[in-house]
């Protein structure tokens, strides 16, 4: 990950009229319009067709994409529909909410004079503080069940306020936010102390505390020590607690720069978290939408076995014993162009509760793009990560390549989850929702217009 910092450290671009995107949620995602240093007004349209492999069968697929950037407003709308028995593929036309899922993003982007950002669309990458409560949270791990969320952030002087709701239409999902204040105080050699207070709550689980709830609070103290040019060392100390459950105390440091020539940012974070029973750092993360106190992943190795009873994957929060987590987390982003992200959390305890994530994404010439993302949980150490794929993992590989003046090739491979229904057996007709691994492959070709 140290090598990943080099592209940003050597990147030099003259300052521009537009400030860098805020560092919250998808504000600086290079695959969304409006995050470039100087975004041009533009409209892009793509229409694609081809085969698609969804669970257990090949189907016909058609996709329509629309992206536009108009001043500070950016919009991305796109949906792929698939043939099914007598109509469309079942999960795509079984509820009115499917119409809203065509929204990829609607953004209001920050500028130099107005550091305000807002976004409507599926939650893809939200973190709070140093990730003790919320780390890379998303609702797209089960693609057909993704929700339309909202996120926003604002900076005014030394004050920063940010928040998110993962389902603004049904108001029954996860909400969270944080307030950060730069105090300007010093503590020995550490200067520019800042205090951030954050919280998260699952509206789908009743109450503020107790067995059926999830409410967490987090307080983080961070400062700056030394540095070379824009690069600073920022030690931090954090405490996070789930009401009625466990908590953690974490300490570590970040090395990096929040703004390199108004063109990029980079950081490498290392920390150690000591947690009581009922807590693991980043529990509200990439798999929380399909694996939490109520909803769970069914181990596919038992689901497809005729002789083995179905088993649930992952360890519920209430079943976690005390432990120590060592976290390494790094990210480099060139605004509007590319991103490299890596995350590794080694859990030292009785359970298989380690986590790993990586994302490499970038825009190619002529509006092409590529994205590779992998998330893993429910393993112990590095050898388990390499040898045992397990049941708690997700993968996305998207490649969009222009061909000639108007041609377009789009290939998507997705390894995620689908909701089990009554059609999968009586055990899944009622009760808490259960999810099973789903593999998709969609090679599409078509035409593109605009630019």
């Amino acid at each position: 990950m140290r090598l990943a910092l080099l592209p940003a450290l050597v990147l030099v671009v003259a300052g521009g009229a537009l400030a860098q995107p805020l560092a919250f949620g998808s504000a600086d995602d290079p695959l969304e319009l409006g995050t470039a240093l100087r975004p041009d007004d533009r409209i892009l349209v793509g229409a694609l067709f081809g085969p698609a492999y969804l669970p257990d069968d090949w189907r016909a697929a058609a996709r329509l994409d629309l992206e536009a950037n108009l001043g500070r407003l950016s919009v991305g709308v796109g949906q792929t529909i698939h043939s099914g028995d007598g109509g469309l593929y079942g999960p795509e036309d079984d509820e009115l909410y499917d119409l809203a899922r065509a929204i990829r993003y609607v953004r209001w982007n920050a500028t130099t004079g107005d550091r305000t950002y807002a976004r409507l669309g599926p939650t893809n990458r939200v973190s709070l503080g140093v990730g003790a409560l919320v780390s890379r949270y998303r609702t797209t791990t089960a693609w057909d069940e993704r929700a339309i969320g909202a996120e926003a952030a604002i900076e005014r002087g030394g004050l920063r306020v940010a928040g998110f709701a993962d389902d603004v239409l049904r108001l029954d999902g996860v909400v969270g936010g944080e307030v950060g204040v730069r105090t300007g105080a010093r503590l020995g050699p550490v200067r520019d102390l800042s205090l951030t207070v954050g919280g998260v709550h699952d509206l789908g689980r009743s109450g503020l505390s107790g067995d059926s709830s999830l409410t967490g609070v987090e307080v983080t103290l961070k400062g700056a020590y030394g540095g070379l040019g824009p690069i600073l060392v920022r030690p931090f100390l954090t405490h996070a607690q789930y009401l009625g459950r466990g908590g953690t105390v974490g300490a570590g440091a970040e090395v990096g720069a929040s703004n390199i020539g108004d063109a990029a940012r980079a950081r490498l974070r290392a920390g150690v978290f000591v947690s009581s029973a009922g807590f693991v750092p980043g529990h509200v993360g990439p798999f929380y939408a399909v694996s939490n106190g109520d909803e769970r992943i069914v181990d596919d190795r038992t689901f497809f076995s005729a002789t083995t009873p179905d088993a649930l994957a992952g360890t519920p929060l209430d079943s976690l014993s005390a432990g120590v987590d060592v976290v390494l987390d790094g990210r480099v982003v060139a605004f509007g162009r590319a991103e490299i992200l890596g995350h590794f959390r080694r859990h030292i305890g009785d359970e298989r509760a380690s986590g790993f994530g990586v994302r490499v994404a970038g825009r190619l010439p002529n509006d092409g793009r590529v994205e590779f993302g992998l998330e893993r949980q429910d393993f112990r150490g590095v050898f388990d990560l390499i040898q045992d794929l397990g049941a708690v993992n997700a993968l996305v590989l998207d490649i969009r390549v222009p061909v000639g003046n108007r041609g377009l090739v789009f290939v998507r491979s997705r390894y995620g989850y689908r909701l089990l229904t009554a059609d999968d057996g009586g055990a899944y007709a009622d009760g808490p929702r259960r999810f099973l691994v789903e593999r998709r492959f969609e090679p599409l070709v078509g035409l593109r217009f605009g630019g």
Side-chain angles (χ1 to χ4, degrees):
M1 185 53 62
R2 293 176 181 173
L3 293 177
L5 292 174
L6 294 179
L9 297 180
V10 301
L11 183 61
V12 177
V13 177
L18 188 78
Q20 77 276 9
L22 296 175
F24 181 73
S26 296
D28 55 4
D29 187 342
L31 299 186
E32 298 185 0
L33 294 184
T35 62
L37 181 63
R38 299 179 182 87
D40 298 323
D41 287 354
R42 59 197 313 202
I43 297 177
L44 305 171
V45 178
L48 304 104
F49 307 89
Y53 181 81
L54 272 65
D56 304 325
D57 203 1
W58 283 94
R59 308 171 186 271
R63 179 175 181 85
L64 182 65
D65 278 311
L66 169 66
E67 284 191 292
N69 191 86
L70 304 171
R72 294 180 62 181
L73 180 66
S74 303
V75 177
V77 179
Q79 180 67 295
T80 305
I81 58 174
H82 305 86
S83 63
D85 296 334
L88 297 180
Y89 173 59
E92 293 173 351
D93 70 346
D94 59 346
E95 57 180 335
L96 189 60
Y97 204 112
D98 290 322
L99 296 176
R101 292 187 174 110
I103 299 174
R104 288 177 49 208
Y105 60 86
V106 179
R107 304 167 49 102
W108 184 254
N109 300 301
T111 67
T112 301
D114 184 2
R115 302 292 289 155
T116 303
Y117 156 76
R119 178 184 182 274
L120 181 72
T123 302
N124 283 323
R125 45 192 301 137
V126 169
S127 297
L128 296 178
V130 293
L133 287 178
V134 182
S135 178
R136 309 178 330 282
Y137 174 62
R138 67 186 62 177
T139 63
T140 57
T141 306
W143 184 249
D144 288 325
E145 305 304 315
R146 65 193 183 278
I148 303 302
E151 59 191 48
I154 183 171
E155 289 182 357
R156 293 290 186 271
L159 177 67
R160 179 178 182 272
V161 180
F164 75 96
D166 76 359
D167 193 338
V168 294
L169 299 182
R170 292 177 293 208
L171 295 177
D172 63 353
V174 177
V175 297
E178 61 185 10
V179 177
V181 179
R182 295 176 59 183
T183 67
R186 298 180 66 103
L187 183 61
V190 180
R191 56 184 173 83
D192 194 24
L193 290 176
S194 65
L195 179 67
T196 301
V197 179
V200 65
H201 177 64
D202 191 342
L203 294 170
R205 302 168 67 182
S206 61
L208 293 179
S209 63
D211 293 341
S212 61
S213 70
L214 185 86
T215 302
V217 293
E218 178 181 8
V219 179
T220 302
L221 183 66
K222 185 184 294 186
Y225 177 80
L228 177 63
I231 305 172
L232 290 176
V233 178
R234 296 185 178 275
F236 67 83
L237 179 65
T238 189
H239 169 64
Q241 181 78 39
Y242 286 120
L243 303 186
R245 289 184 166 85
T248 191
V249 174
E254 296 179 355
V255 180
S258 60
N259 183 9
I260 304 173
D262 251 359
R265 67 168 54 98
R267 67 161 171 78
L268 176 65
R269 179 192 298 144
V272 177
F273 295 81
V274 180
S275 306
S276 65
F279 194 99
V280 67
H283 174 64
V284 182
F287 297 97
Y288 181 82
V290 296
S291 182
N292 50 64
D294 298 320
E295 298 153 314
R296 298 287 300 278
I297 295 170
V298 177
D299 192 325
D300 59 311
R301 292 168 293 191
T302 61
F303 182 85
F304 293 108
S305 172
T307 59
T308 306
D310 291 353
L312 300 179
T315 304
L317 195 63
D318 290 338
S319 299
L320 286 169
S321 57
V324 175
D325 290 85
V326 179
V327 179
L328 293 175
D329 189 279
R331 185 169 185 254
V332 178
V333 57
F335 305 137
R337 285 186 283 178
E339 176 192 35
I340 301 173
L341 177 147
H343 177 89
F344 181 72
R345 178 177 53 79
R346 175 65 168 95
H347 180 74
I348 304 171
D350 295 336
E351 293 81 21
R352 296 166 55 90
S354 296
F356 171 81
V358 64
R359 185 185 194 233
V360 179
R363 287 195 170 269
L364 305 176
N366 299 321
D367 298 310
R369 69 182 193 183
V370 61
E371 177 186 15
F372 170 77
L374 174 65
E375 293 287 349
R376 285 283 319 275
Q377 283 186 11
D378 195 31
F379 64 94
R380 292 190 183 277
V382 175
F383 290 109
D384 281 345
L385 175 63
I386 297 173
Q387 295 175 356
D388 183 10
L389 187 60
V392 187
N393 57 87
L395 181 147
V396 171
L397 176 61
D398 280 3
I399 302 174
R400 175 187 171 111
V401 180
V403 179
N405 292 330
R406 297 297 181 192
L408 189 63
V409 174
F410 177 80
V411 179
R412 165 172 288 176
S413 180
R414 182 180 293 274
Y415 191 107
Y417 297 91
R418 66 178 179 90
L419 178 66
L420 290 171
T421 66
D423 292 338
D424 296 292
Y428 303 105
D430 300 304
R433 302 203 305 174
R434 298 290 182 253
F435 294 86
L436 184 69
V437 64
E438 175 189 69
R439 299 170 178 86
R440 294 186 174 207
F441 179 63
E442 298 173 285
L444 308 178
V445 296
L447 299 174
R448 64 188 180 97
F449 305 92

